[in-house]
Amino acid sequence: MTRQSISTKPSVAGISRRKLLGLGVGSAGALALGSTLPGALRRARAESAADARFLFILTATGGASIIDSLLPVAHSEISSPERVAALTAYPDEAIASPPGSGFRCVRNLSDRFTALPFGSDFDPVDFVSRRKDDMLVMTLDNTSVNHDVAQQRSMNGDGVDRGRTIAEAMAMTYGFEQPLANCMMSSGGFTQAGIWDEVPDEARAVLIGDPWQLALATHGSRGLAGVPSVDDVARARHTCELLDEHSAFGRRYGHSEARERFLALRGGASAELEGADLVDTLMLLEQTPERPLSALGLSPSPELERLRERLPKLGEDRLHAQAALAFLLAREGASSVVTFGPGFIPPIDSDGRAFGTPLAFDFSHTNHLVSQNVMWCRMFEVLDGLIGLLQSEPLGDGSMWDQSLIYVATDFGRTKVIPEGGSFFNFSSGHDLNNGSLLLSPRLRGNRVYGGVDPETCLTYGFDPRTGEPEPGRLMGAPHLYSLIAQALEIDFPGRLDMSGLLR
Amino acid sequence: MKRSLFIVCVLLGACNAETSADASTQDCAPPAESLRWKRADVLVNDLAGSLELEQATICTELGTTPCREVHGISLGASEPFLNTLYEPLPRPMVTTALAIDRVMLSACRRGVERDQRVASDERVVFTHIELGAASLDPADAGVKAQVHELYQRLLGRDATDDEVAMVAELATDDVSAETFATLACFSIATTTEFLFY
């Protein structure tokens, strides 16, 4: 399949708002162009539904261990009581096998936690039962136990694709004319740009700090109290351009790369983003007496109620807000890849309740089982909400979900041995290269674990990527994972590994 | 003389390796690539100082949160907590120019509002025009003086005649004096001469 690269991307409709103004076209004309853009994006998306692809990367920060969720070892599978006591394995009753599922999963164990004030009310068994056909687990070994390095490698496949990240590859392939092709709401190494210098600025990640207020960052003036009209601001911008062109400073630094880059962004992609008029569409905040949106000419997203049905903690849980924004960005045709996930900051609401652990999965250093169980339930809950939204959004003859893939990226696995003195509900784990990853998409040959786990060591082993058959002793790596995502989304690159055994 | 010039160039760190005693002043000028993007705190500090406003109030989103906080990453700040971004982004993003516009526009408006609330002899920045006027004449001496005032405050120099004329064109029949003041301030504050150093 031939695709137009984003590197050949012209500005919207071939001309920017600032250039329109510079050519003497009235601001009303420029604004009219902008005001039609969201609809145009949606239409373009609908017309090319078969070509649309969406990648969502949920970053399971801190080391989401696959043997503590979808590839658990049961105590009854282990040969001796001594090994049972030493390994990160689970009592048989803590593991469920949903009917018709190729997966087993660790149940929600929150009712058995007493030592720490964390918990979740989401049931992983329900999730697996509902989503099993579109999900797969592939085992792999990472190459670093340093958070930052490992997170970067989970995005760039250990450099298998010339050093670009899978998000950059996605944006370069599908982000044509999208104002925020590659959105990034995650943290740490997941946010790092790739090292392939041919990745254009438009395909680089746009970092978002506050998902609730991203809407405001998409426009230069809307929602500011008492400021002049959009038309007047457009005139002042034109004056600014003239001043820049004529000033001694502008002439002296006319060839400054930093200045040129800024001006190109301001007159191009930034103007296009503003022209897309996404402020109201992406507004995740509600009108309140303290937050008078309507008085500022703003309104909440018309999708807010629908979002809240699937992501009920949207108003207070940053992770839910990120997932909601990811859906809206893709739905509006603004983004083709959105990365989001919990960071290392404890998510606490205004009443002091914790939505997750203080360090996400890395709180396993303090209490492995509690952290893995709470955080996996948290991941499943937000995945379930996002998939539900994607399934409910028509696209072509199907839904957005038909063209989507969700990759649950993580740093690495966790150590498989309970330290001496530890007990099942209270032990600390370290970082371990050995692990596996969860991916979800109707494009994958789902309801299956690719590879397996040795019950005597709790270490995972690999598989034949062409057939999917397990191969004890074989190790898979980040290049396999990157290649699988790329192949599923029809992104080609030199050296891509053949993962066809895992594709529908 | 030439030796003195060479020493000055070396002290400025601006001469390239081939600089010789024959170097002209043009050879010794700092390279264009030395320009730096004025990031979040520097930008806000400069702006607040230029317009004599409190940093915390120059721009708030939805009346509650400082723009510096909401748009910190876009404005070029690090964000070590929520995004574990220990080092700021190397270059602007697509949202950067829009975040800058929001800060500048809001700050200019706050400056106008502040000067509107006080007696004319207590105004701070917009001292040369009648802020309550329904419109202004671009040829008015007060408009020219106000443009110079803004240039001095924001860029540390007088405007040229051409620059005065360009900014004065923002004063049209259907633009009030207070709107002109905001727009004039905004158009100067968003020039790359203010945004880079």
Side-chain angles (χ1 to χ4, degrees):
Chain A
M1 181 181 290
T2 304
R3 300 195 180 280
Q4 190 162 14
S5 163
I6 198 173
S7 60
T8 61
K9 173 183 176 185
S11 57
V12 62
I15 193 162
S16 76
R17 164 194 280 225
R18 284 182 186 253
K19 282 185 180 152
L20 277 173
L21 290 170
L23 290 169
V25 177
S27 57
L31 292 167
L33 168 71
S35 66
T36 64
L37 196 53
L41 287 170
R42 277 195 292 274
R43 279 195 300 279
R45 199 194 71 197
E47 286 164 6
S48 58
D51 288 340
R53 300 288 182 275
F54 309 102
L55 173 61
F56 302 92
I57 304 174
L58 173 58
T59 57
T61 306
S65 167
I66 202 70
I67 63 166
D68 291 282
S69 59
L70 295 165
L71 198 50
V73 171
H75 284 170
S76 63
E77 297 174 295
I78 302 173
S79 61
S80 71
E82 292 75 20
R83 296 196 75 79
V84 165
L87 287 171
T88 308
Y90 285 79
D92 290 36
E93 63 273 19
I95 297 174
S97 300
S101 165
F103 300 99
R104 299 188 305 182
C105 68
V106 177
R107 297 179 186 277
N108 183 328
L109 303 176
S110 290
D111 61 345
R112 299 176 65 179
F113 303 155
T114 53
L116 294 165
F118 313 121
S120 169
D121 54 7
F122 191 81
D123 187 354
V125 182
D126 282 349
F127 175 80
V128 174
S129 299
R130 244 191 321 273
R131 309 298 180 194
K132 61 182 185 302
D133 292 334
D134 293 337
M135 56 190 267
L136 68 77
V137 165
M138 66 163 276
T139 59
L140 83 164
D141 275 55
N142 299 99
T143 53
S144 175
V145 287
N146 172 288
H147 285 291
D148 210 52
V149 174
Q151 289 168 359
Q152 286 184 51
R153 291 177 183 173
S154 75
M155 297 293 284
N156 67 27
D158 271 356
V160 68
D161 184 11
R162 296 157 289 190
R164 69 177 174 175
T165 68
I166 189 65
E168 290 165 350
M170 186 71 187
M172 288 177 73
T173 310
Y174 295 99
F176 180 72
E177 285 201 342
Q178 290 185 318
L180 294 166
N182 176 3
C183 267
M184 171 61 70
M185 292 182 268
S186 185
S187 62
F190 296 118
T191 68
Q192 296 301 301
I195 57 169
W196 191 29
D197 56 14
E198 289 188 31
V199 174
D201 280 354
E202 292 90 338
R204 299 277 185 193
V206 175
L207 260 75
I208 298 167
D210 185 339
W212 289 285
Q213 300 195 67
L214 168 70
L216 298 169
T218 64
H219 202 282
S221 62
R222 282 198 57 200
L224 289 173
V227 300
S229 69
V230 171
D231 278 355
D232 280 339
V233 172
R235 287 199 312 122
R237 284 172 169 171
H238 179 54
T239 299
C240 171
E241 286 183 6
L242 295 175
L243 295 174
D244 256 333
E245 287 171 14
H246 287 84
S247 72
F249 181 90
R251 291 195 302 274
R252 172 67 188 84
Y253 292 100
H255 298 292
S256 158
E257 186 183 335
R259 182 176 175 274
E260 287 286 284
R261 185 186 295 275
F262 175 79
L263 289 175
L265 261 180
R266 186 163 77 174
S270 299
E272 291 166 27
L273 174 58
E274 186 176 86
D277 200 18
L278 296 167
V279 180
D280 293 329
T281 311
L282 300 180
M283 177 55 73
L284 294 179
L285 295 171
E286 288 184 281
Q287 167 100 8
T288 66
E290 300 76 28
R291 195 191 300 129
L293 295 182
S294 58
L296 295 167
L298 303 173
S299 57
S301 169
E303 301 296 320
L304 209 51
E305 277 309 309
R306 179 181 168 205
L307 295 170
R308 198 180 287 107
E309 284 174 16
R310 299 284 183 178
L311 298 160
K313 298 167 191 164
L314 164 64
E316 49 192 358
D317 185 341
R318 175 177 292 267
L319 185 59
H320 283 222
Q322 289 176 338
L325 184 61
F327 168 71
L328 289 178
L329 286 165
R331 177 181 181 272
E332 292 303 311
S335 305
S336 55
V337 52
V338 186
T339 305
F340 65 100
F344 283 144
I345 290 288
I348 298 171
D349 70 6
S350 53
D351 296 327
R353 290 178 299 156
F355 293 120
T357 65
L359 293 169
F361 283 93
D362 205 38
F363 197 67
S364 300
H365 284 303
T366 298
N367 188 315
H368 176 90
L369 188 128
V370 171
S371 302
Q372 292 292 325
N373 198 255
V374 168
M375 289 306 299
W376 270 112
C377 288
R378 188 161 159 71
M379 297 293 106
F380 291 140
E381 181 181 26
V382 79
L383 286 169
D384 199 44
L386 177 57
I387 294 170
L389 286 167
L390 293 167
Q391 285 179 325
S392 69
E393 184 65 27
L395 180 63
D397 296 330
S399 73
M400 280 182 70
W401 177 236
D402 298 330
Q403 314 289 32
S404 299
L405 187 148
I406 304 177
Y407 161 39
V408 182
T410 194
D411 321 19
F412 34 62
R414 309 293 303 194
T415 47
K416 323 294 179 186
V417 176
I418 298 175
E420 194 172 339
S423 65
F424 182 67
F425 276 108
N426 188 14
F427 72 94
S428 159
S429 68
H431 304 171
D432 197 299
L433 299 176
N434 183 257
N435 201 22
S437 280
L438 169 63
L439 297 104
L440 305 100
S441 172
R443 307 177 71 80
L444 300 170
R445 189 175 294 167
N447 200 15
R448 186 169 167 184
V449 171
Y450 292 89
V453 60
D454 177 358
E456 295 301 308
T457 60
C458 286
L459 291 168
T460 63
Y461 55 82
F463 55 92
D464 182 333
R466 288 194 178 86
T467 65
E469 292 306 306
E471 286 191 9
R474 180 169 185 169
L475 297 180
M476 319 308 289
H480 292 97
L481 183 56
Y482 186 106
S483 294
L484 172 59
I485 298 168
Q487 196 169 352
L489 294 171
E490 298 165 75
I491 299 169
D492 204 3
F493 63 87
R496 190 181 77 184
L497 303 173
D498 182 7
M499 303 296 289
S500 52
L502 286 67
L503 300 174
R504 280 200 173 126
Chain B
M1 176 61 190
K2 287 178 180 174
R3 182 179 172 77
S4 301
L5 180 61
F6 175 75
I7 292 169
V8 168
C9 289
V10 170
L11 288 173
L12 289 171
C15 290
N16 60 32
E18 286 79 38
T19 300
S20 69
D22 295 329
S24 68
T25 46
Q26 183 149 357
D27 293 332
C28 294
E33 290 70 23
S34 66
L35 272 188
R36 291 188 179 197
W37 167 28
K38 204 180 276 183
R39 291 168 184 270
D41 290 329
V42 180
L43 184 80
V44 169
N45 288 348
D46 269 12
L47 189 60
S50 299
L51 301 179
E52 298 187 45
L53 292 165
E54 292 292 326
Q55 287 179 27
T57 62
I58 65 169
C59 179
T60 54
E61 291 292 8
L62 307 177
T64 55
T65 317
C67 295
R68 162 66 179 81
E69 190 176 316
V70 175
H71 305 296
I73 296 175
S74 295
L75 293 171
S78 58
E79 208 301 285
F81 302 109
L82 291 171
N83 293 84
T84 328
L85 190 69
Y86 297 119
E87 293 184 11
L89 297 175
R91 49 196 191 214
M93 301 188 297
V94 64
T95 49
T96 297
L98 298 173
I100 288 173
D101 278 5
R102 294 185 79 80
V103 172
M104 298 307 186
L105 198 54
S106 179
C108 291
R109 177 62 192 161
R110 297 289 88 76
V112 171
E113 287 174 345
R114 183 263 323 274
D115 283 359
Q116 278 179 312
R117 284 195 298 268
V118 298
S120 57
D121 61 345
E122 293 176 0
R123 290 179 186 169
V124 178
V125 175
F126 299 97
T127 56
H128 305 281
I129 55 176
E130 179 48 60
L131 286 173
S135 63
L136 294 170
D137 179 353
D140 187 274
V143 170
K144 181 178 179 180
Q146 189 61 61
V147 174
H148 280 304
E149 172 85 29
L150 288 167
Y151 259 81
Q152 279 292 345
R153 285 180 168 271
L154 291 161
L155 304 180
R157 65 175 175 87
D158 269 345
T160 65
D161 290 344
D162 283 348
E163 288 167 336
V164 170
M166 289 173 199
V167 178
E169 281 185 17
L170 290 168
T172 56
D173 289 345
D174 58 347
V175 170
S176 67
E178 64 173 290
T179 298
F180 166 77
T182 304
L183 297 176
C185 170
F186 172 75
S187 66
I188 300 165
T190 50
T191 59
T192 53
E193 189 171 350
F194 185 80
L195 301 178
F196 286 81
Y197 67 103

